[in-house]
PDB file of all heavy atoms in Angstrom:
ATOM      1  N   MET E   1    -130.515-236.499 151.312  1.00 47.00           N
ATOM      2  CA  MET E   1    -129.285-237.181 151.642  1.00 47.00           C
ATOM      3  C   MET E   1    -129.619-238.574 152.134  1.00 47.00           C
ATOM      4  O   MET E   1    -130.536-238.768 152.907  1.00 47.00           O
ATOM      5  CB  MET E   1    -128.540-236.396 152.721  1.00 47.00           C
ATOM      6  CG  MET E   1    -127.252-237.048 153.104  1.00 47.00           C
ATOM      7  SD  MET E   1    -126.240-236.038 154.187  1.00 47.00           S
ATOM      8  CE  MET E   1    -125.892-234.693 153.108  1.00 47.00           C
ATOM      9  N   ALA E   2    -128.866-239.548 151.709  1.00 51.00           N
ATOM     10  CA  ALA E   2    -129.133-240.930 152.058  1.00 51.00           C
ATOM     11  C   ALA E   2    -128.801-241.191 153.520  1.00 51.00           C
ATOM     12  O   ALA E   2    -127.901-240.594 154.097  1.00 51.00           O
ATOM     13  CB  ALA E   2    -128.293-241.853 151.174  1.00 51.00           C
ATOM     14  N   VAL E   6    -122.201-239.308 155.284  1.00 71.00           N
ATOM     15  CA  VAL E   6    -121.487-238.397 156.166  1.00 71.00           C
ATOM     16  C   VAL E   6    -121.727-236.962 155.729  1.00 71.00           C
ATOM     17  O   VAL E   6    -121.703-236.661 154.548  1.00 71.00           O
ATOM     18  CB  VAL E   6    -119.973-238.708 156.156  1.00 71.00           C
ATOM     19  CG1 VAL E   6    -119.212-237.703 156.993  1.00 71.00           C
ATOM     20  CG2 VAL E   6    -119.720-240.113 156.654  1.00 71.00           C
ATOM     21  N   TYR E   8    -120.460-232.901 156.622  1.00 96.00           N
ATOM     22  CA  TYR E   8    -119.408-232.122 157.259  1.00 96.00           C
ATOM     23  C   TYR E   8    -120.017-230.818 157.725  1.00 96.00           C
ATOM     24  O   TYR E   8    -120.720-230.153 156.978  1.00 96.00           O
ATOM     25  CB  TYR E   8    -118.249-231.889 156.283  1.00 96.00           C
ATOM     26  CG  TYR E   8    -117.599-233.192 155.938  1.00 96.00           C
ATOM     27  CD1 TYR E   8    -118.017-233.921 154.839  1.00 96.00           C
ATOM     28  CD2 TYR E   8    -116.604-233.722 156.746  1.00 96.00           C
ATOM     29  CE1 TYR E   8    -117.450-235.140 154.545  1.00 96.00           C
ATOM     30  CE2 TYR E   8    -116.025-234.940 156.455  1.00 96.00           C
ATOM     31  CZ  TYR E   8    -116.452-235.645 155.358  1.00 96.00           C
ATOM     32  OH  TYR E   8    -115.898-236.860 155.073  1.00 96.00           O
ATOM     33  N   ILE E   9    -119.756-230.490 158.979  1.00 96.00           N
ATOM     34  CA  ILE E   9    -120.360-229.332 159.607  1.00 96.00           C
ATOM     35  C   ILE E   9    -119.311-228.237 159.763  1.00 96.00           C
ATOM     36  O   ILE E   9    -118.213-228.494 160.257  1.00 96.00           O
ATOM     37  CB  ILE E   9    -120.912-229.684 161.003  1.00 96.00           C
ATOM     38  CG1 ILE E   9    -121.802-230.926 160.959  1.00 96.00           C
ATOM     39  CG2 ILE E   9    -121.644-228.492 161.614  1.00 96.00           C
ATOM     40  CD1 ILE E   9    -123.011-230.815 160.077  1.00 96.00           C
ATOM     41  N   LEU E  10    -119.658-227.034 159.335  1.00 96.00           N
ATOM     42  CA  LEU E  10    -118.820-225.866 159.565  1.00 96.00           C
ATOM     43  C   LEU E  10    -119.316-225.205 160.848  1.00 96.00           C
ATOM     44  O   LEU E  10    -120.482-224.837 160.949  1.00 96.00           O
ATOM     45  CB  LEU E  10    -118.909-224.890 158.395  1.00 96.00           C
ATOM     46  CG  LEU E  10    -118.188-223.548 158.565  1.00 96.00           C
ATOM     47  CD1 LEU E  10    -116.703-223.743 158.840  1.00 96.00           C
ATOM     48  CD2 LEU E  10    -118.403-222.679 157.340  1.00 96.00           C
ATOM     49  N   ASN E  18    -119.577-218.652 172.482  1.00 96.00           N
ATOM     50  CA  ASN E  18    -120.772-219.329 171.972  1.00 96.00           C
ATOM     51  C   ASN E  18    -120.421-220.084 170.697  1.00 96.00           C
ATOM     52  O   ASN E  18    -119.713-219.560 169.839  1.00 96.00           O
ATOM     53  CB  ASN E  18    -121.877-218.315 171.689  1.00 96.00           C
ATOM     54  CG  ASN E  18    -122.270-217.564 172.928  1.00 96.00           C
ATOM     55  OD1 ASN E  18    -122.566-218.138 173.960  1.00 96.00           O
ATOM     56  ND2 ASN E  18    -122.244-216.249 172.837  1.00 96.00           N
ATOM     57  N   VAL E  19    -120.927-221.312 170.574  1.00 97.00           N
ATOM     58  CA  VAL E  19    -120.625-222.161 169.417  1.00 97.00           C
ATOM     59  C   VAL E  19    -121.900-222.358 168.601  1.00 97.00           C
ATOM     60  O   VAL E  19    -122.962-222.638 169.156  1.00 97.00           O
ATOM     61  CB  VAL E  19    -120.051-223.524 169.880  1.00 97.00           C
ATOM     62  CG1 VAL E  19    -119.811-224.439 168.698  1.00 97.00           C
ATOM     63  CG2 VAL E  19    -118.768-223.315 170.667  1.00 97.00           C
ATOM     64  N   VAL E  21    -123.563-223.851 164.600  1.00 96.00           N
ATOM     65  CA  VAL E  21    -123.432-224.491 163.292  1.00 96.00           C
ATOM     66  C   VAL E  21    -123.648-223.414 162.249  1.00 96.00           C
ATOM     67  O   VAL E  21    -124.647-222.694 162.285  1.00 96.00           O
ATOM     68  CB  VAL E  21    -124.466-225.619 163.109  1.00 96.00           C
ATOM     69  CG1 VAL E  21    -124.456-226.137 161.677  1.00 96.00           C
ATOM     70  CG2 VAL E  21    -124.201-226.751 164.088  1.00 96.00           C
ATOM     71  N   VAL E  22    -122.708-223.285 161.308  1.00 95.00           N
ATOM     72  CA  VAL E  22    -122.830-222.308 160.236  1.00 95.00           C
ATOM     73  C   VAL E  22    -123.537-222.941 159.048  1.00 95.00           C
ATOM     74  O   VAL E  22    -124.477-222.385 158.494  1.00 95.00           O
ATOM     75  CB  VAL E  22    -121.451-221.768 159.807  1.00 95.00           C
ATOM     76  CG1 VAL E  22    -121.567-220.837 158.618  1.00 95.00           C
ATOM     77  CG2 VAL E  22    -120.769-221.080 160.977  1.00 95.00           C
ATOM     78  N   HIS E  26    -121.860-231.739 151.936  1.00 92.00           N
ATOM     79  CA  HIS E  26    -121.738-233.145 151.550  1.00 92.00           C
ATOM     80  C   HIS E  26    -120.285-233.556 151.385  1.00 92.00           C
ATOM     81  O   HIS E  26    -119.974-234.734 151.469  1.00 92.00           O
ATOM     82  CB  HIS E  26    -122.476-233.415 150.239  1.00 92.00           C
ATOM     83  CG  HIS E  26    -123.954-233.225 150.353  1.00 92.00           C
ATOM     84  ND1 HIS E  26    -124.774-234.122 150.983  1.00 92.00           N
ATOM     85  CD2 HIS E  26    -124.750-232.219 149.944  1.00 92.00           C
ATOM     86  CE1 HIS E  26    -126.011-233.690 150.949  1.00 92.00           C
ATOM     87  NE2 HIS E  26    -126.032-232.534 150.329  1.00 92.00           N
ATOM     88  N   ARG E  28    -116.025-232.770 152.339  1.00 94.00           N
ATOM     89  CA  ARG E  28    -115.067-232.102 153.211  1.00 94.00           C
ATOM     90  C   ARG E  28    -114.370-230.968 152.467  1.00 94.00           C
ATOM     91  O   ARG E  28    -114.124-229.906 153.033  1.00 94.00           O
ATOM     92  CB  ARG E  28    -114.036-233.097 153.739  1.00 94.00           C
ATOM     93  CG  ARG E  28    -113.021-232.443 154.672  1.00 94.00           C
ATOM     94  CD  ARG E  28    -111.969-233.412 155.150  1.00 94.00           C
ATOM     95  NE  ARG E  28    -112.474-234.369 156.093  1.00 94.00           N
ATOM     96  CZ  ARG E  28    -112.537-234.160 157.412  1.00 94.00           C
ATOM     97  NH1 ARG E  28    -112.146-233.017 157.921  1.00 94.00           N
ATOM     98  NH2 ARG E  28    -112.983-235.098 158.212  1.00 94.00           N
ATOM     99  N   ASP E  29    -114.048-231.184 151.188  1.00 96.00           N
ATOM    100  CA  ASP E  29    -113.377-230.143 150.407  1.00 96.00           C
ATOM    101  C   ASP E  29    -114.200-228.864 150.352  1.00 96.00           C
ATOM    102  O   ASP E  29    -113.675-227.767 150.551  1.00 96.00           O
ATOM    103  CB  ASP E  29    -113.071-230.619 148.993  1.00 96.00           C
ATOM    104  CG  ASP E  29    -111.964-231.648 148.948  1.00 96.00           C
ATOM    105  OD1 ASP E  29    -111.165-231.721 149.911  1.00 96.00           O
ATOM    106  OD2 ASP E  29    -111.883-232.370 147.946  1.00 96.00           O
ATOM    107  N   ARG E  37    -112.639-219.242 153.659  1.00 95.00           N
ATOM    108  CA  ARG E  37    -113.193-217.953 153.275  1.00 95.00           C
ATOM    109  C   ARG E  37    -113.604-217.148 154.515  1.00 95.00           C
ATOM    110  O   ARG E  37    -113.330-215.959 154.614  1.00 95.00           O
ATOM    111  CB  ARG E  37    -114.398-218.170 152.362  1.00 95.00           C
ATOM    112  CG  ARG E  37    -114.693-217.008 151.471  1.00 95.00           C
ATOM    113  CD  ARG E  37    -115.800-217.271 150.475  1.00 95.00           C
ATOM    114  NE  ARG E  37    -115.690-218.556 149.827  1.00 95.00           N
ATOM    115  CZ  ARG E  37    -116.725-219.297 149.424  1.00 95.00           C
ATOM    116  NH1 ARG E  37    -117.956-218.852 149.599  1.00 95.00           N
ATOM    117  NH2 ARG E  37    -116.549-220.445 148.828  1.00 95.00           N
ATOM    118  N   TYR E  38    -114.251-217.824 155.468  1.00 93.00           N
ATOM    119  CA  TYR E  38    -114.644-217.145 156.713  1.00 93.00           C
ATOM    120  C   TYR E  38    -113.414-216.742 157.525  1.00 93.00           C
ATOM    121  O   TYR E  38    -113.361-215.658 158.089  1.00 93.00           O
ATOM    122  CB  TYR E  38    -115.547-218.039 157.558  1.00 93.00           C
ATOM    123  CG  TYR E  38    -116.992-218.006 157.134  1.00 93.00           C
ATOM    124  CD1 TYR E  38    -117.558-219.076 156.450  1.00 93.00           C
ATOM    125  CD2 TYR E  38    -117.807-216.926 157.441  1.00 93.00           C
ATOM    126  CE1 TYR E  38    -118.889-219.065 156.068  1.00 93.00           C
ATOM    127  CE2 TYR E  38    -119.137-216.895 157.073  1.00 93.00           C
ATOM    128  CZ  TYR E  38    -119.674-217.969 156.385  1.00 93.00           C
ATOM    129  OH  TYR E  38    -120.986-217.948 156.002  1.00 93.00           O
ATOM    130  N   ARG E  41    -111.611-213.465 156.714  1.00 89.00           N
ATOM    131  CA  ARG E  41    -112.299-212.195 156.995  1.00 89.00           C
ATOM    132  C   ARG E  41    -111.636-211.431 158.136  1.00 89.00           C
ATOM    133  O   ARG E  41    -111.859-210.239 158.288  1.00 89.00           O
ATOM    134  CB  ARG E  41    -113.766-212.445 157.330  1.00 89.00           C
ATOM    135  CG  ARG E  41    -114.570-212.908 156.146  1.00 89.00           C
ATOM    136  CD  ARG E  41    -115.998-213.104 156.558  1.00 89.00           C
ATOM    137  NE  ARG E  41    -116.812-213.445 155.403  1.00 89.00           N
ATOM    138  CZ  ARG E  41    -118.107-213.643 155.460  1.00 89.00           C
ATOM    139  NH1 ARG E  41    -118.742-213.529 156.610  1.00 89.00           N
ATOM    140  NH2 ARG E  41    -118.782-213.956 154.384  1.00 89.00           N
ATOM    141  N   GLN E  45    -113.864-214.498 165.504  1.00 91.00           N
ATOM    142  CA  GLN E  45    -114.485-215.808 165.564  1.00 91.00           C
ATOM    143  C   GLN E  45    -113.521-216.903 165.091  1.00 91.00           C
ATOM    144  O   GLN E  45    -112.669-216.669 164.238  1.00 91.00           O
ATOM    145  CB  GLN E  45    -115.749-215.866 164.696  1.00 91.00           C
ATOM    146  CG  GLN E  45    -116.897-215.064 165.228  1.00 91.00           C
ATOM    147  CD  GLN E  45    -116.851-213.610 164.811  1.00 91.00           C
ATOM    148  OE1 GLN E  45    -116.025-213.199 164.022  1.00 91.00           O
ATOM    149  NE2 GLN E  45    -117.747-212.818 165.358  1.00 91.00           N
ATOM    150  N   TRP E  48    -114.144-223.993 162.166  1.00 96.00           N
ATOM    151  CA  TRP E  48    -113.545-225.298 161.918  1.00 96.00           C
ATOM    152  C   TRP E  48    -114.588-226.230 161.317  1.00 96.00           C
ATOM    153  O   TRP E  48    -115.782-225.997 161.401  1.00 96.00           O
ATOM    154  CB  TRP E  48    -112.946-225.889 163.199  1.00 96.00           C
ATOM    155  CG  TRP E  48    -113.953-226.268 164.249  1.00 96.00           C
ATOM    156  CD1 TRP E  48    -114.499-227.507 164.445  1.00 96.00           C
ATOM    157  CD2 TRP E  48    -114.540-225.421 165.234  1.00 96.00           C
ATOM    158  NE1 TRP E  48    -115.378-227.470 165.497  1.00 96.00           N
ATOM    159  CE2 TRP E  48    -115.414-226.204 165.997  1.00 96.00           C
ATOM    160  CE3 TRP E  48    -114.401-224.072 165.548  1.00 96.00           C
ATOM    161  CZ2 TRP E  48    -116.162-225.685 167.050  1.00 96.00           C
ATOM    162  CZ3 TRP E  48    -115.142-223.561 166.600  1.00 96.00           C
ATOM    163  CH2 TRP E  48    -116.001-224.361 167.329  1.00 96.00           C
ATOM    164  N   VAL E  49    -114.085-227.311 160.701  1.00 97.00           N
ATOM    165  CA  VAL E  49    -114.933-228.312 160.058  1.00 97.00           C
ATOM    166  C   VAL E  49    -114.787-229.610 160.822  1.00 97.00           C
ATOM    167  O   VAL E  49    -113.683-230.013 161.192  1.00 97.00           O
ATOM    168  CB  VAL E  49    -114.524-228.523 158.586  1.00 97.00           C
ATOM    169  CG1 VAL E  49    -115.284-229.690 157.973  1.00 97.00           C
ATOM    170  CG2 VAL E  49    -114.739-227.249 157.782  1.00 97.00           C
ATOM    171  N   LYS E  50    -115.924-230.261 161.048  1.00 95.00           N
ATOM    172  CA  LYS E  50    -115.919-231.537 161.749  1.00 95.00           C
ATOM    173  C   LYS E  50    -116.966-232.435 161.097  1.00 95.00           C
ATOM    174  O   LYS E  50    -118.070-231.985 160.803  1.00 95.00           O
ATOM    175  CB  LYS E  50    -116.258-231.303 163.218  1.00 95.00           C
ATOM    176  CG  LYS E  50    -116.087-232.500 164.097  1.00 95.00           C
ATOM    177  CD  LYS E  50    -116.270-232.097 165.556  1.00 95.00           C
ATOM    178  CE  LYS E  50    -116.126-233.319 166.440  1.00 95.00           C
ATOM    179  NZ  LYS E  50    -116.335-232.992 167.846  1.00 95.00           N
ATOM    180  N   PRO E  51    -116.633-233.715 160.864  1.00 93.00           N
ATOM    181  CA  PRO E  51    -117.627-234.602 160.269  1.00 93.00           C
ATOM    182  C   PRO E  51    -118.729-234.939 161.284  1.00 93.00           C
ATOM    183  O   PRO E  51    -118.473-235.038 162.486  1.00 93.00           O
ATOM    184  CB  PRO E  51    -116.839-235.857 159.892  1.00 93.00           C
ATOM    185  CG  PRO E  51    -115.631-235.823 160.735  1.00 93.00           C
ATOM    186  CD  PRO E  51    -115.350-234.375 161.059  1.00 93.00           C
ATOM    187  N   PRO E  54    -122.186-240.680 160.821  1.00 63.00           N
ATOM    188  CA  PRO E  54    -123.346-241.217 160.092  1.00 63.00           C
ATOM    189  C   PRO E  54    -124.318-241.896 161.055  1.00 63.00           C
ATOM    190  O   PRO E  54    -123.898-242.463 162.058  1.00 63.00           O
ATOM    191  CB  PRO E  54    -122.745-242.211 159.117  1.00 63.00           C
ATOM    192  CG  PRO E  54    -121.375-242.497 159.614  1.00 63.00           C
ATOM    193  CD  PRO E  54    -120.953-241.343 160.467  1.00 63.00           C
ATOM    194  N   GLN E  55    -125.574-241.800 160.739  1.00 58.00           N
ATOM    195  CA  GLN E  55    -126.600-242.435 161.554  1.00 58.00           C
ATOM    196  C   GLN E  55    -127.135-243.652 160.825  1.00 58.00           C
ATOM    197  O   GLN E  55    -127.333-243.608 159.615  1.00 58.00           O
ATOM    198  CB  GLN E  55    -127.737-241.467 161.834  1.00 58.00           C
ATOM    199  CG  GLN E  55    -127.286-240.252 162.620  1.00 58.00           C
ATOM    200  CD  GLN E  55    -128.432-239.301 162.886  1.00 58.00           C
ATOM    201  OE1 GLN E  55    -129.571-239.563 162.530  1.00 58.00           O
ATOM    202  NE2 GLN E  55    -128.129-238.175 163.500  1.00 58.00           N
ATOM    203  N   PRO E  58    -133.395-246.146 161.250  1.00 57.00           N
ATOM    204  CA  PRO E  58    -134.181-246.073 162.478  1.00 57.00           C
ATOM    205  C   PRO E  58    -134.537-247.456 163.002  1.00 57.00           C
ATOM    206  O   PRO E  58    -134.712-248.390 162.229  1.00 57.00           O
ATOM    207  CB  PRO E  58    -135.453-245.307 162.070  1.00 57.00           C
ATOM    208  CG  PRO E  58    -135.394-245.143 160.609  1.00 57.00           C
ATOM    209  CD  PRO E  58    -134.057-245.596 160.115  1.00 57.00           C
TER     210      PRO E  58
END
Side-chain angles (χ1 to χ4, degrees):
M1 180 172 295
V6 176
Y8 295 92
I9 309 300
L10 174 58
N18 300 308
V19 177
V21 172
V22 175
H26 295 285
R28 181 182 288 273
D29 289 339
R37 204 174 315 148
Y38 278 106
R41 291 181 175 182
Q45 290 85 7
W48 68 95
V49 173
K50 189 172 179 182
Q55 298 180 3

